[in-house]
PDB file of all heavy atoms in Angstrom:
ATOM      1  N   SER A   1      -2.971  12.929 -11.876  1.00  0.00           N
ATOM      2  CA  SER A   1      -3.075  12.971 -13.289  1.00  0.00           C
ATOM      3  C   SER A   1      -3.767  14.242 -13.598  1.00  0.00           C
ATOM      4  O   SER A   1      -4.891  14.546 -13.099  1.00  0.00           O
ATOM      5  CB  SER A   1      -3.802  11.747 -13.858  1.00  0.00           C
ATOM      6  OG  SER A   1      -4.128  11.924 -15.221  1.00  0.00           O
ATOM      7  N   THR A   2      -3.214  14.940 -14.606  1.00  0.00           N
ATOM      8  CA  THR A   2      -3.944  16.142 -15.127  1.00  0.00           C
ATOM      9  C   THR A   2      -4.564  15.959 -16.456  1.00  0.00           C
ATOM     10  O   THR A   2      -5.379  16.714 -16.932  1.00  0.00           O
ATOM     11  CB  THR A   2      -2.921  17.327 -15.234  1.00  0.00           C
ATOM     12  OG1 THR A   2      -1.929  16.946 -16.157  1.00  0.00           O
ATOM     13  CG2 THR A   2      -2.288  17.704 -13.870  1.00  0.00           C
ATOM     14  N   SER A   3      -4.259  14.763 -17.046  1.00  0.00           N
ATOM     15  CA  SER A   3      -4.744  14.533 -18.416  1.00  0.00           C
ATOM     16  C   SER A   3      -5.946  13.641 -18.449  1.00  0.00           C
ATOM     17  O   SER A   3      -6.755  13.748 -19.435  1.00  0.00           O
ATOM     18  CB  SER A   3      -3.686  13.891 -19.280  1.00  0.00           C
ATOM     19  OG  SER A   3      -3.238  12.681 -18.751  1.00  0.00           O
ATOM     20  N   ALA A   4      -6.091  12.748 -17.529  1.00  0.00           N
ATOM     21  CA  ALA A   4      -7.282  11.816 -17.557  1.00  0.00           C
ATOM     22  C   ALA A   4      -7.571  11.314 -16.175  1.00  0.00           C
ATOM     23  O   ALA A   4      -6.656  11.305 -15.272  1.00  0.00           O
ATOM     24  CB  ALA A   4      -6.888  10.672 -18.494  1.00  0.00           C
ATOM     25  N   PRO A   5      -8.738  10.780 -15.882  1.00  0.00           N
ATOM     26  CA  PRO A   5      -9.105  10.210 -14.602  1.00  0.00           C
ATOM     27  C   PRO A   5      -8.195   8.917 -14.427  1.00  0.00           C
ATOM     28  O   PRO A   5      -7.940   8.229 -15.277  1.00  0.00           O
ATOM     29  CB  PRO A   5     -10.516   9.819 -14.707  1.00  0.00           C
ATOM     30  CG  PRO A   5     -11.049  10.705 -15.829  1.00  0.00           C
ATOM     31  CD  PRO A   5      -9.867  10.817 -16.732  1.00  0.00           C
ATOM     32  N   VAL A   6      -7.879   8.649 -13.086  1.00  0.00           N
ATOM     33  CA  VAL A   6      -7.195   7.454 -12.782  1.00  0.00           C
ATOM     34  C   VAL A   6      -8.184   6.335 -12.820  1.00  0.00           C
ATOM     35  O   VAL A   6      -9.305   6.357 -12.249  1.00  0.00           O
ATOM     36  CB  VAL A   6      -6.656   7.528 -11.414  1.00  0.00           C
ATOM     37  CG1 VAL A   6      -5.979   6.226 -10.945  1.00  0.00           C
ATOM     38  CG2 VAL A   6      -5.567   8.716 -11.327  1.00  0.00           C
ATOM     39  N   THR A   7      -7.810   5.239 -13.550  1.00  0.00           N
ATOM     40  CA  THR A   7      -8.670   4.060 -13.621  1.00  0.00           C
ATOM     41  C   THR A   7      -8.029   2.810 -13.058  1.00  0.00           C
ATOM     42  O   THR A   7      -8.638   1.717 -13.015  1.00  0.00           O
ATOM     43  CB  THR A   7      -9.076   3.788 -15.085  1.00  0.00           C
ATOM     44  OG1 THR A   7      -7.912   3.661 -15.877  1.00  0.00           O
ATOM     45  CG2 THR A   7      -9.940   4.947 -15.626  1.00  0.00           C
ATOM     46  N   SER A   8      -6.793   2.924 -12.602  1.00  0.00           N
ATOM     47  CA  SER A   8      -6.068   1.725 -12.027  1.00  0.00           C
ATOM     48  C   SER A   8      -4.842   2.118 -11.225  1.00  0.00           C
ATOM     49  O   SER A   8      -4.160   3.091 -11.634  1.00  0.00           O
ATOM     50  CB  SER A   8      -5.673   0.763 -13.098  1.00  0.00           C
ATOM     51  OG  SER A   8      -5.067  -0.408 -12.588  1.00  0.00           O
ATOM     52  N   ILE A   9      -4.630   1.453 -10.089  1.00  0.00           N
ATOM     53  CA  ILE A   9      -3.381   1.602  -9.348  1.00  0.00           C
ATOM     54  C   ILE A   9      -3.037   0.198  -8.859  1.00  0.00           C
ATOM     55  O   ILE A   9      -3.835  -0.641  -8.457  1.00  0.00           O
ATOM     56  CB  ILE A   9      -3.588   2.564  -8.123  1.00  0.00           C
ATOM     57  CG1 ILE A   9      -2.259   2.774  -7.419  1.00  0.00           C
ATOM     58  CG2 ILE A   9      -4.677   2.188  -7.262  1.00  0.00           C
ATOM     59  CD1 ILE A   9      -1.147   3.458  -8.128  1.00  0.00           C
ATOM     60  N   THR A  10      -1.761  -0.130  -8.909  1.00  0.00           N
ATOM     61  CA  THR A  10      -1.296  -1.428  -8.484  1.00  0.00           C
ATOM     62  C   THR A  10       0.092  -1.289  -7.784  1.00  0.00           C
ATOM     63  O   THR A  10       0.891  -0.427  -8.112  1.00  0.00           O
ATOM     64  CB  THR A  10      -1.145  -2.475  -9.570  1.00  0.00           C
ATOM     65  OG1 THR A  10      -0.901  -3.706  -9.092  1.00  0.00           O
ATOM     66  CG2 THR A  10      -0.093  -2.099 -10.589  1.00  0.00           C
ATOM     67  N   ALA A  11       0.352  -2.106  -6.800  1.00  0.00           N
ATOM     68  CA  ALA A  11       1.654  -2.076  -6.086  1.00  0.00           C
ATOM     69  C   ALA A  11       1.879  -3.505  -5.483  1.00  0.00           C
ATOM     70  O   ALA A  11       0.946  -4.176  -5.060  1.00  0.00           O
ATOM     71  CB  ALA A  11       1.709  -1.054  -4.988  1.00  0.00           C
ATOM     72  N   SER A  12       3.125  -3.889  -5.461  1.00  0.00           N
ATOM     73  CA  SER A  12       3.541  -5.189  -4.802  1.00  0.00           C
ATOM     74  C   SER A  12       4.471  -4.882  -3.615  1.00  0.00           C
ATOM     75  O   SER A  12       5.157  -3.885  -3.543  1.00  0.00           O
ATOM     76  CB  SER A  12       4.218  -6.095  -5.807  1.00  0.00           C
ATOM     77  OG  SER A  12       3.476  -6.410  -6.872  1.00  0.00           O
ATOM     78  N   PHE A  13       4.425  -5.775  -2.599  1.00  0.00           N
ATOM     79  CA  PHE A  13       5.219  -5.619  -1.363  1.00  0.00           C
ATOM     80  C   PHE A  13       5.231  -6.968  -0.691  1.00  0.00           C
ATOM     81  O   PHE A  13       4.547  -7.966  -1.049  1.00  0.00           O
ATOM     82  CB  PHE A  13       4.612  -4.604  -0.476  1.00  0.00           C
ATOM     83  CG  PHE A  13       3.272  -4.948   0.082  1.00  0.00           C
ATOM     84  CD1 PHE A  13       3.107  -5.479   1.310  1.00  0.00           C
ATOM     85  CD2 PHE A  13       2.120  -4.671  -0.713  1.00  0.00           C
ATOM     86  CE1 PHE A  13       1.801  -5.863   1.769  1.00  0.00           C
ATOM     87  CE2 PHE A  13       0.858  -4.983  -0.263  1.00  0.00           C
ATOM     88  CZ  PHE A  13       0.689  -5.550   0.969  1.00  0.00           C
ATOM     89  N   THR A  14       6.066  -7.090   0.323  1.00  0.00           N
ATOM     90  CA  THR A  14       6.231  -8.254   1.168  1.00  0.00           C
ATOM     91  C   THR A  14       5.571  -7.954   2.553  1.00  0.00           C
ATOM     92  O   THR A  14       5.942  -6.907   3.126  1.00  0.00           O
ATOM     93  CB  THR A  14       7.660  -8.712   1.353  1.00  0.00           C
ATOM     94  OG1 THR A  14       8.170  -9.011   0.154  1.00  0.00           O
ATOM     95  CG2 THR A  14       7.751  -9.906   2.247  1.00  0.00           C
ATOM     96  N   ILE A  15       4.628  -8.734   3.077  1.00  0.00           N
ATOM     97  CA  ILE A  15       4.026  -8.491   4.319  1.00  0.00           C
ATOM     98  C   ILE A  15       5.157  -8.403   5.363  1.00  0.00           C
ATOM     99  O   ILE A  15       5.932  -9.432   5.510  1.00  0.00           O
ATOM    100  CB  ILE A  15       2.964  -9.497   4.680  1.00  0.00           C
ATOM    101  CG1 ILE A  15       1.837  -9.385   3.651  1.00  0.00           C
ATOM    102  CG2 ILE A  15       2.414  -9.247   6.082  1.00  0.00           C
ATOM    103  CD1 ILE A  15       0.781 -10.497   3.796  1.00  0.00           C
ATOM    104  N   PRO A  16       5.228  -7.345   6.150  1.00  0.00           N
ATOM    105  CA  PRO A  16       6.274  -7.274   7.161  1.00  0.00           C
ATOM    106  C   PRO A  16       6.106  -8.041   8.488  1.00  0.00           C
ATOM    107  O   PRO A  16       4.985  -8.345   8.819  1.00  0.00           O
ATOM    108  CB  PRO A  16       6.345  -5.772   7.422  1.00  0.00           C
ATOM    109  CG  PRO A  16       4.968  -5.304   7.257  1.00  0.00           C
ATOM    110  CD  PRO A  16       4.435  -6.098   6.120  1.00  0.00           C
ATOM    111  N   THR A  17       7.140  -8.353   9.155  1.00  0.00           N
ATOM    112  CA  THR A  17       7.070  -8.817  10.502  1.00  0.00           C
ATOM    113  C   THR A  17       6.886  -7.564  11.360  1.00  0.00           C
ATOM    114  O   THR A  17       7.644  -6.590  11.170  1.00  0.00           O
ATOM    115  CB  THR A  17       8.321  -9.595  10.860  1.00  0.00           C
ATOM    116  OG1 THR A  17       8.310 -10.755  10.113  1.00  0.00           O
ATOM    117  CG2 THR A  17       8.353 -10.015  12.404  1.00  0.00           C
ATOM    118  N   LEU A  18       5.991  -7.561  12.320  1.00  0.00           N
ATOM    119  CA  LEU A  18       5.723  -6.421  13.136  1.00  0.00           C
ATOM    120  C   LEU A  18       6.460  -6.512  14.504  1.00  0.00           C
ATOM    121  O   LEU A  18       6.743  -7.650  15.027  1.00  0.00           O
ATOM    122  CB  LEU A  18       4.244  -6.261  13.384  1.00  0.00           C
ATOM    123  CG  LEU A  18       3.358  -6.122  12.117  1.00  0.00           C
ATOM    124  CD1 LEU A  18       1.943  -6.037  12.581  1.00  0.00           C
ATOM    125  CD2 LEU A  18       3.780  -4.985  11.301  1.00  0.00           C
ATOM    126  N   SER A  19       6.707  -5.372  15.104  1.00  0.00           N
ATOM    127  CA  SER A  19       7.076  -5.285  16.532  1.00  0.00           C
ATOM    128  C   SER A  19       6.477  -3.992  17.049  1.00  0.00           C
ATOM    129  O   SER A  19       5.704  -3.328  16.342  1.00  0.00           O
ATOM    130  CB  SER A  19       8.678  -5.219  16.613  1.00  0.00           C
ATOM    131  OG  SER A  19       9.158  -4.132  15.852  1.00  0.00           O
ATOM    132  N   GLY A  20       6.798  -3.672  18.308  1.00  0.00           N
ATOM    133  CA  GLY A  20       6.252  -2.482  18.904  1.00  0.00           C
ATOM    134  C   GLY A  20       5.347  -2.774  20.056  1.00  0.00           C
ATOM    135  O   GLY A  20       5.560  -3.649  20.889  1.00  0.00           O
ATOM    136  N   GLN A  21       4.253  -1.977  20.139  1.00  0.00           N
ATOM    137  CA  GLN A  21       3.380  -2.022  21.255  1.00  0.00           C
ATOM    138  C   GLN A  21       2.237  -2.986  20.969  1.00  0.00           C
ATOM    139  O   GLN A  21       1.549  -2.880  19.902  1.00  0.00           O
ATOM    140  CB  GLN A  21       2.784  -0.695  21.648  1.00  0.00           C
ATOM    141  CG  GLN A  21       1.946  -0.620  22.839  1.00  0.00           C
ATOM    142  CD  GLN A  21       1.508   0.776  23.168  1.00  0.00           C
ATOM    143  OE1 GLN A  21       1.968   1.756  22.576  1.00  0.00           O
ATOM    144  NE2 GLN A  21       0.727   0.945  24.189  1.00  0.00           N
ATOM    145  N   ALA A  22       1.950  -3.943  21.819  1.00  0.00           N
ATOM    146  CA  ALA A  22       0.871  -4.867  21.664  1.00  0.00           C
ATOM    147  C   ALA A  22      -0.479  -4.107  21.365  1.00  0.00           C
ATOM    148  O   ALA A  22      -0.731  -3.141  22.012  1.00  0.00           O
ATOM    149  CB  ALA A  22       0.693  -5.849  22.862  1.00  0.00           C
ATOM    150  N   GLY A  23      -1.212  -4.697  20.420  1.00  0.00           N
ATOM    151  CA  GLY A  23      -2.442  -4.035  20.066  1.00  0.00           C
ATOM    152  C   GLY A  23      -2.385  -2.886  19.013  1.00  0.00           C
ATOM    153  O   GLY A  23      -3.356  -2.452  18.476  1.00  0.00           O
ATOM    154  N   SER A  24      -1.180  -2.498  18.690  1.00  0.00           N
ATOM    155  CA  SER A  24      -1.152  -1.496  17.605  1.00  0.00           C
ATOM    156  C   SER A  24      -1.462  -2.100  16.344  1.00  0.00           C
ATOM    157  O   SER A  24      -1.273  -3.322  16.063  1.00  0.00           O
ATOM    158  CB  SER A  24       0.341  -0.849  17.555  1.00  0.00           C
ATOM    159  OG  SER A  24       1.333  -1.908  17.468  1.00  0.00           O
TER     160      SER A  24
END
């Protein structure tokens, strides 16, 4: 933002199923 300080951010998502290397 060039006009004012940021006072809020929000986002929605679905928690993914993971794969890959154990411990990552």
Side-chain angles (χ1 to χ4, degrees):
S1 168
T2 60
S3 61
V6 174
T7 58
S8 178
I9 182 72
T10 188
S12 297
F13 63 97
T14 299
I15 298 174
T17 295
L18 302 179
S19 61
Q21 185 174 356
S24 55

